[in-house]
Each structure stands twice: as structure tokens, then as C-alpha cells.
Short mmCIF file of all heavy atoms in Angstrom, two decimals:
data_model
loop_
_atom_site.label_atom_id
_atom_site.label_comp_id
_atom_site.label_asym_id
_atom_site.label_seq_id
_atom_site.Cartn_x
_atom_site.Cartn_y
_atom_site.Cartn_z
N GLU A 1 4.28 3.08 -7.48
CA GLU A 1 3.07 2.26 -7.42
C GLU A 1 3.05 1.20 -8.51
O GLU A 1 2.61 0.07 -8.27
CB GLU A 1 1.84 3.17 -7.54
CG GLU A 1 1.61 4.04 -6.31
CD GLU A 1 0.49 5.05 -6.52
OE1 GLU A 1 0.33 5.52 -7.67
OE2 GLU A 1 -0.23 5.36 -5.56
N ARG A 2 3.51 1.53 -9.69
CA ARG A 2 3.57 0.53 -10.77
C ARG A 2 4.47 -0.63 -10.40
O ARG A 2 4.14 -1.80 -10.63
CB ARG A 2 4.04 1.18 -12.07
CG ARG A 2 3.01 2.07 -12.75
CD ARG A 2 3.37 2.35 -14.20
NE ARG A 2 4.67 3.01 -14.32
CZ ARG A 2 4.85 4.33 -14.26
NH1 ARG A 2 3.80 5.12 -14.10
NH2 ARG A 2 6.05 4.85 -14.40
N ALA A 3 5.63 -0.30 -9.80
CA ALA A 3 6.55 -1.35 -9.39
C ALA A 3 5.94 -2.22 -8.30
O ALA A 3 6.05 -3.45 -8.33
CB ALA A 3 7.86 -0.72 -8.90
N TYR A 4 5.26 -1.59 -7.34
CA TYR A 4 4.63 -2.32 -6.23
C TYR A 4 3.52 -3.22 -6.76
O TYR A 4 3.42 -4.40 -6.38
CB TYR A 4 4.08 -1.31 -5.22
CG TYR A 4 3.55 -1.90 -3.93
CD1 TYR A 4 4.36 -2.00 -2.81
CD2 TYR A 4 2.22 -2.33 -3.83
CE1 TYR A 4 3.87 -2.52 -1.62
CE2 TYR A 4 1.73 -2.85 -2.64
CZ TYR A 4 2.56 -2.94 -1.54
OH TYR A 4 2.07 -3.46 -0.36
N ALA A 5 2.69 -2.70 -7.64
CA ALA A 5 1.58 -3.48 -8.19
C ALA A 5 2.10 -4.67 -8.99
O ALA A 5 1.56 -5.78 -8.90
CB ALA A 5 0.70 -2.58 -9.06
N ALA A 6 3.15 -4.44 -9.78
CA ALA A 6 3.72 -5.53 -10.57
C ALA A 6 4.33 -6.59 -9.67
O ALA A 6 4.25 -7.79 -9.95
CB ALA A 6 4.76 -4.98 -11.54
N LEU A 7 4.94 -6.16 -8.58
CA LEU A 7 5.62 -7.08 -7.67
C LEU A 7 4.65 -8.07 -7.05
O LEU A 7 4.95 -9.26 -6.92
CB LEU A 7 6.33 -6.26 -6.58
CG LEU A 7 7.34 -6.99 -5.68
CD1 LEU A 7 8.46 -7.59 -6.50
CD2 LEU A 7 7.88 -6.02 -4.65
N TYR A 8 3.46 -7.60 -6.67
CA TYR A 8 2.51 -8.45 -5.96
C TYR A 8 1.26 -8.79 -6.78
O TYR A 8 0.33 -9.41 -6.26
CB TYR A 8 2.10 -7.78 -4.64
CG TYR A 8 3.28 -7.51 -3.75
CD1 TYR A 8 3.69 -6.21 -3.46
CD2 TYR A 8 4.04 -8.56 -3.22
CE1 TYR A 8 4.79 -5.96 -2.66
CE2 TYR A 8 5.15 -8.33 -2.42
CZ TYR A 8 5.52 -7.02 -2.14
OH TYR A 8 6.62 -6.79 -1.36
N GLY A 9 1.26 -8.41 -8.05
CA GLY A 9 0.15 -8.76 -8.92
C GLY A 9 -1.16 -8.09 -8.53
O GLY A 9 -2.21 -8.75 -8.52
N LEU A 10 -1.12 -6.80 -8.21
CA LEU A 10 -2.29 -6.10 -7.69
C LEU A 10 -3.03 -5.35 -8.79
O LEU A 10 -2.43 -4.88 -9.76
CB LEU A 10 -1.88 -5.12 -6.59
CG LEU A 10 -1.09 -5.74 -5.42
CD1 LEU A 10 -0.84 -4.68 -4.35
CD2 LEU A 10 -1.80 -6.94 -4.84
N GLU A 11 -4.33 -5.21 -8.62
CA GLU A 11 -5.17 -4.48 -9.55
C GLU A 11 -5.30 -3.02 -9.14
O GLU A 11 -4.98 -2.64 -8.00
CB GLU A 11 -6.55 -5.15 -9.61
CG GLU A 11 -6.51 -6.60 -10.05
CD GLU A 11 -7.86 -7.28 -9.93
OE1 GLU A 11 -8.83 -6.60 -9.54
OE2 GLU A 11 -7.95 -8.49 -10.21
N ASP A 12 -5.80 -2.20 -10.06
CA ASP A 12 -5.93 -0.77 -9.79
C ASP A 12 -6.82 -0.50 -8.57
O ASP A 12 -6.57 0.44 -7.81
CB ASP A 12 -6.49 -0.04 -11.01
CG ASP A 12 -5.44 0.23 -12.07
OD1 ASP A 12 -4.26 -0.10 -11.83
OD2 ASP A 12 -5.79 0.76 -13.14
N ALA A 13 -7.86 -1.30 -8.38
CA ALA A 13 -8.75 -1.09 -7.24
C ALA A 13 -8.01 -1.28 -5.92
O ALA A 13 -8.25 -0.56 -4.94
CB ALA A 13 -9.94 -2.05 -7.32
N GLN A 14 -7.10 -2.25 -5.89
CA GLN A 14 -6.30 -2.46 -4.68
C GLN A 14 -5.31 -1.32 -4.48
O GLN A 14 -5.08 -0.87 -3.35
CB GLN A 14 -5.57 -3.80 -4.77
CG GLN A 14 -6.50 -5.00 -4.74
CD GLN A 14 -5.78 -6.29 -5.07
OE1 GLN A 14 -5.24 -6.45 -6.17
NE2 GLN A 14 -5.77 -7.22 -4.14
N MET A 15 -4.72 -0.85 -5.56
CA MET A 15 -3.76 0.25 -5.46
C MET A 15 -4.45 1.56 -5.09
O MET A 15 -3.87 2.40 -4.39
CB MET A 15 -3.01 0.39 -6.77
CG MET A 15 -2.11 -0.79 -7.12
SD MET A 15 -0.91 -1.17 -5.83
CE MET A 15 0.08 0.33 -5.84
N ALA A 16 -5.68 1.75 -5.55
CA ALA A 16 -6.43 2.94 -5.16
C ALA A 16 -6.71 2.92 -3.66
O ALA A 16 -6.61 3.94 -2.97
CB ALA A 16 -7.73 3.03 -5.95
N TRP A 17 -7.08 1.75 -3.14
CA TRP A 17 -7.31 1.61 -1.70
C TRP A 17 -6.01 1.88 -0.94
O TRP A 17 -6.01 2.59 0.08
CB TRP A 17 -7.82 0.21 -1.40
CG TRP A 17 -8.12 -0.04 0.04
CD1 TRP A 17 -9.31 0.16 0.67
CD2 TRP A 17 -7.21 -0.55 1.03
NE1 TRP A 17 -9.20 -0.18 2.00
CE2 TRP A 17 -7.92 -0.62 2.25
CE3 TRP A 17 -5.88 -0.94 1.02
CZ2 TRP A 17 -7.34 -1.06 3.43
CZ3 TRP A 17 -5.28 -1.38 2.20
CH2 TRP A 17 -6.02 -1.44 3.38
N ARG A 18 -4.92 1.34 -1.43
CA ARG A 18 -3.61 1.55 -0.78
C ARG A 18 -3.26 3.03 -0.74
O ARG A 18 -2.79 3.54 0.29
CB ARG A 18 -2.54 0.77 -1.53
CG ARG A 18 -1.10 1.01 -1.05
CD ARG A 18 -0.13 0.18 -1.87
NE ARG A 18 1.26 0.36 -1.45
CZ ARG A 18 2.11 1.18 -2.03
NH1 ARG A 18 1.72 1.93 -3.08
NH2 ARG A 18 3.36 1.26 -1.60
N ARG A 19 -3.49 3.74 -1.84
CA ARG A 19 -3.16 5.16 -1.89
C ARG A 19 -3.94 5.94 -0.85
O ARG A 19 -3.40 6.83 -0.17
CB ARG A 19 -3.42 5.71 -3.30
CG ARG A 19 -3.02 7.17 -3.45
CD ARG A 19 -3.38 7.69 -4.83
NE ARG A 19 -2.55 7.12 -5.88
CZ ARG A 19 -2.66 7.45 -7.17
NH1 ARG A 19 -3.61 8.33 -7.54
NH2 ARG A 19 -1.87 6.91 -8.08
N VAL A 20 -5.22 5.63 -0.70
CA VAL A 20 -6.06 6.32 0.28
C VAL A 20 -5.56 6.04 1.70
O VAL A 20 -5.49 6.95 2.54
CB VAL A 20 -7.54 5.89 0.13
CG1 VAL A 20 -8.37 6.37 1.32
CG2 VAL A 20 -8.11 6.42 -1.17
N LYS A 21 -5.20 4.78 1.98
CA LYS A 21 -4.73 4.43 3.32
C LYS A 21 -3.41 5.13 3.65
O LYS A 21 -3.21 5.57 4.79
CB LYS A 21 -4.55 2.91 3.44
CG LYS A 21 -5.83 2.16 3.71
CD LYS A 21 -6.41 2.56 5.06
CE LYS A 21 -7.76 1.92 5.30
NZ LYS A 21 -8.34 2.37 6.58
N ILE A 22 -2.51 5.20 2.69
CA ILE A 22 -1.25 5.90 2.93
C ILE A 22 -1.51 7.37 3.24
O ILE A 22 -0.88 7.96 4.13
CB ILE A 22 -0.31 5.75 1.72
CG1 ILE A 22 0.19 4.29 1.62
CG2 ILE A 22 0.89 6.70 1.82
CD1 ILE A 22 1.02 4.01 0.39
N ALA A 23 -2.47 7.97 2.54
CA ALA A 23 -2.83 9.36 2.80
C ALA A 23 -3.40 9.52 4.21
O ALA A 23 -3.10 10.50 4.91
CB ALA A 23 -3.83 9.85 1.76
N GLU A 24 -4.22 8.55 4.64
CA GLU A 24 -4.80 8.61 5.99
C GLU A 24 -3.71 8.48 7.06
O GLU A 24 -3.73 9.19 8.07
CB GLU A 24 -5.83 7.50 6.16
CG GLU A 24 -7.10 7.70 5.35
CD GLU A 24 -8.04 6.52 5.48
OE1 GLU A 24 -7.67 5.53 6.16
OE2 GLU A 24 -9.15 6.56 4.91
N LEU A 25 -2.78 7.55 6.85
CA LEU A 25 -1.72 7.30 7.83
C LEU A 25 -0.62 8.35 7.78
O LEU A 25 0.17 8.47 8.71
CB LEU A 25 -1.12 5.91 7.60
CG LEU A 25 -2.06 4.72 7.85
CD1 LEU A 25 -1.45 3.44 7.33
CD2 LEU A 25 -2.38 4.59 9.34
N LYS A 26 -0.53 9.06 6.63
CA LYS A 26 0.46 10.13 6.44
C LYS A 26 1.90 9.62 6.49
O LYS A 26 2.82 10.36 6.82
CB LYS A 26 0.26 11.25 7.46
CG LYS A 26 -1.09 11.94 7.37
CD LYS A 26 -1.22 13.04 8.41
CE LYS A 26 -2.52 13.82 8.23
NZ LYS A 26 -3.72 12.98 8.34
N ASP A 27 2.08 8.31 6.18
CA ASP A 27 3.43 7.75 6.23
C ASP A 27 3.45 6.42 5.47
O ASP A 27 2.85 5.44 5.92
CB ASP A 27 3.84 7.51 7.68
CG ASP A 27 5.29 7.07 7.82
OD1 ASP A 27 5.91 6.73 6.80
OD2 ASP A 27 5.80 7.07 8.96
N PRO A 28 4.13 6.35 4.32
CA PRO A 28 4.18 5.09 3.57
C PRO A 28 4.80 3.95 4.35
O PRO A 28 4.41 2.79 4.18
CB PRO A 28 5.04 5.46 2.35
CG PRO A 28 4.95 6.94 2.23
CD PRO A 28 4.82 7.45 3.63
N VAL A 29 5.77 4.26 5.21
CA VAL A 29 6.42 3.21 6.00
C VAL A 29 5.45 2.66 7.04
O VAL A 29 5.43 1.46 7.32
CB VAL A 29 7.71 3.74 6.68
CG1 VAL A 29 8.35 2.66 7.55
CG2 VAL A 29 8.70 4.22 5.62
N LEU A 30 4.63 3.54 7.63
CA LEU A 30 3.65 3.07 8.60
C LEU A 30 2.62 2.17 7.91
O LEU A 30 2.14 1.21 8.51
CB LEU A 30 2.96 4.26 9.26
CG LEU A 30 1.96 3.94 10.38
CD1 LEU A 30 2.62 3.12 11.48
CD2 LEU A 30 1.37 5.23 10.94
N PHE A 31 2.27 2.48 6.66
CA PHE A 31 1.37 1.60 5.92
C PHE A 31 1.96 0.20 5.84
O PHE A 31 1.25 -0.81 5.98
CB PHE A 31 1.11 2.14 4.51
CG PHE A 31 0.28 1.21 3.67
CD1 PHE A 31 -1.11 1.25 3.71
CD2 PHE A 31 0.88 0.27 2.84
CE1 PHE A 31 -1.88 0.38 2.95
CE2 PHE A 31 0.12 -0.61 2.07
CZ PHE A 31 -1.26 -0.55 2.13
N LYS A 32 3.26 0.09 5.58
CA LYS A 32 3.89 -1.22 5.46
C LYS A 32 3.83 -1.99 6.78
O LYS A 32 3.76 -3.22 6.77
CB LYS A 32 5.34 -1.06 5.01
CG LYS A 32 5.48 -0.53 3.59
CD LYS A 32 6.94 -0.34 3.21
CE LYS A 32 7.05 0.19 1.79
NZ LYS A 32 8.46 0.40 1.39
N GLN A 33 3.88 -1.27 7.90
CA GLN A 33 3.76 -1.95 9.19
C GLN A 33 2.32 -2.39 9.45
O GLN A 33 2.09 -3.52 9.90
CB GLN A 33 4.21 -1.02 10.32
CG GLN A 33 3.98 -1.61 11.72
CD GLN A 33 4.47 -0.69 12.81
OE1 GLN A 33 5.65 -0.61 13.08
NE2 GLN A 33 3.54 0.03 13.45
N GLU A 34 1.36 -1.52 9.15
CA GLU A 34 -0.04 -1.81 9.44
C GLU A 34 -0.66 -2.74 8.40
O GLU A 34 -1.56 -3.53 8.72
CB GLU A 34 -0.83 -0.51 9.49
CG GLU A 34 -0.38 0.46 10.58
CD GLU A 34 -0.67 -0.08 11.97
OE1 GLU A 34 -1.84 -0.31 12.28
OE2 GLU A 34 0.30 -0.29 12.73
N TYR A 35 -0.19 -2.65 7.16
CA TYR A 35 -0.73 -3.46 6.06
C TYR A 35 0.44 -4.03 5.24
O TYR A 35 0.68 -3.62 4.11
CB TYR A 35 -1.65 -2.62 5.17
CG TYR A 35 -2.82 -2.02 5.90
CD1 TYR A 35 -2.77 -0.71 6.37
CD2 TYR A 35 -3.97 -2.76 6.13
CE1 TYR A 35 -3.84 -0.15 7.05
CE2 TYR A 35 -5.05 -2.22 6.82
CZ TYR A 35 -4.98 -0.92 7.28
OH TYR A 35 -6.05 -0.37 7.96
N PRO A 36 1.16 -4.98 5.80
CA PRO A 36 2.37 -5.47 5.12
C PRO A 36 2.05 -6.41 3.96
O PRO A 36 1.05 -7.13 3.97
CB PRO A 36 3.10 -6.23 6.24
CG PRO A 36 1.99 -6.70 7.15
CD PRO A 36 0.96 -5.60 7.12
N ALA A 37 2.93 -6.39 2.98
CA ALA A 37 2.87 -7.33 1.87
C ALA A 37 3.76 -8.53 2.12
O ALA A 37 3.56 -9.60 1.55
CB ALA A 37 3.26 -6.64 0.57
N THR A 38 4.78 -8.36 2.97
CA THR A 38 5.67 -9.45 3.38
C THR A 38 5.97 -9.30 4.86
O THR A 38 5.82 -8.21 5.43
CB THR A 38 7.01 -9.43 2.61
OG1 THR A 38 7.76 -8.26 3.00
CG2 THR A 38 6.78 -9.43 1.10
N ALA A 39 6.42 -10.38 5.49
CA ALA A 39 6.76 -10.31 6.91
C ALA A 39 7.92 -9.36 7.15
O ALA A 39 7.92 -8.59 8.12
CB ALA A 39 7.10 -11.71 7.43
N ALA A 40 8.92 -9.40 6.27
CA ALA A 40 10.07 -8.51 6.44
C ALA A 40 9.64 -7.05 6.35
O ALA A 40 10.15 -6.19 7.07
CB ALA A 40 11.13 -8.83 5.38
#
């Protein structure tokens, strides 16, 4: 998470939201598809 936050300049509030969403989706890769940071 520290690496991800540093990469995109994200605040703790955004990372807390991301953590909750990953828990809901039960798959970090699915989070990247549903909420991508880049097109790739």
C-alpha cells in the first residue's frame, strides 16, 4: 500500500477506501479492473 500510494500520490483517506473495496471484492486484481489507476 505504501508503494501504491507513493506511486499515485494518494492520501490515507483514499487508501482506506481502497482497502475496504478490495475486501468487498475479495480480489486485489478485480479491484484494478473495476477501479483502475492506469489503462494497462
Side-chain angles (χ1 to χ4, degrees):
E1 290 173 326
R2 287 196 301 273
Y4 187 94
L7 192 59
Y8 301 113
L10 305 184
E11 301 173 2
D12 280 357
Q14 293 170 298
M15 294 304 296
W17 182 90
R18 174 180 181 262
R19 184 184 290 181
V20 168
K21 279 296 175 183
I22 290 175
E24 290 176 357
L25 294 169
K26 298 180 174 60
D27 187 348
V29 178
L30 184 56
F31 175 86
K32 293 178 180 180
Q33 174 178 282
E34 298 293 299
Y35 301 97
T38 67

